[in-house]
């Protein structure tokens, strides 16, 4: 009916409305990382637990959009200040410089190989997604 104000929103149910969004998102991210680490420990697969947790977040987010909305308040500030997360590895690299120089060949091969593999996977995925978008 025109001119009628919209109904008031329903009150939130459960405990979720008591927890700040950033804290809930951080708990979700850390919980998925913990689950990934536990899965790696149990199965012994040679992948870091954080990567398994990130893959779980990707899979859950593809299935349920609400998962991404829950993680976004914590993920956005983390991505905004991502450069701060590189300080500890930078300090470690400087303190272990002689070890890095001794193993420069294998390290360069690993970094270059992983870059090339990531580039191929990202390119293939992008092409498939673009084809899917055009056909839809």
């Amino acid at each position: 009916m025109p001119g009628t104000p919209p109904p008031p929103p329903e009150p939130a149910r459960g405990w979720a409305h008591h927890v700040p969004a950033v804290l809930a998102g951080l708990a979700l991210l850390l919980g998925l990382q913990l689950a990934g680490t536990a899965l790696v420990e149990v199965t012994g697969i040679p992948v870091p637990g954080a990567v398994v947790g990130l893959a779980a977040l990707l899979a859950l987010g593809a299935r349920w959009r609400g998962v991404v909305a829950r993680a976004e308040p914590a993920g956005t500030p983390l991505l905004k200040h991502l450069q701060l997360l590189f300080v500890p590895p930078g300090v470690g690299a400087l303190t272990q410089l002689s070890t890095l120089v001794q193993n420069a060949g294998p390290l360069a091969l690993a970094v270059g190989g992983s870059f090339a593999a990531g580039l191929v996977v990202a390119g293939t995925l992008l092409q498939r997604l673009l084809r899917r978008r055009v056909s839809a």
Side-chain angles (χ1 to χ4, degrees), residues 23-121:
L23 188 59
L26 198 56
L28 175 66
L29 294 175
L30 290 176
L32 287 172
Q33 181 179 357
L34 178 64
T37 302
L39 185 65
V40 165
E41 287 295 322
V42 169
T43 60
I45 56 175
V47 177
V51 173
V52 174
L54 187 62
L57 176 63
L58 181 65
L60 291 173
R63 176 68 177 94
W64 294 287
R65 299 288 180 194
V67 173
V68 174
R70 289 272 181 187
E72 192 173 359
T76 301
L78 284 174
L79 290 176
K80 186 176 178 183
H81 301 291
L82 188 63
Q83 70 274 12
L84 294 176
L85 300 176
F86 288 104
V87 171
V91 171
L94 288 177
T95 59
Q96 300 294 324
L97 192 58
S98 62
T99 305
L100 290 174
V101 170
Q102 290 173 352
N103 300 310
L107 285 172
L109 185 63
V111 170
S114 64
F115 172 75
L119 193 61
V120 168
V121 169

Side-chain angles (χ1 to χ4, degrees), residues 4-24:
T4 305
E10 290 186 25
R13 297 180 187 168
W15 55 271
H17 67 283
H18 294 294
V19 178
V22 173
L23 188 59

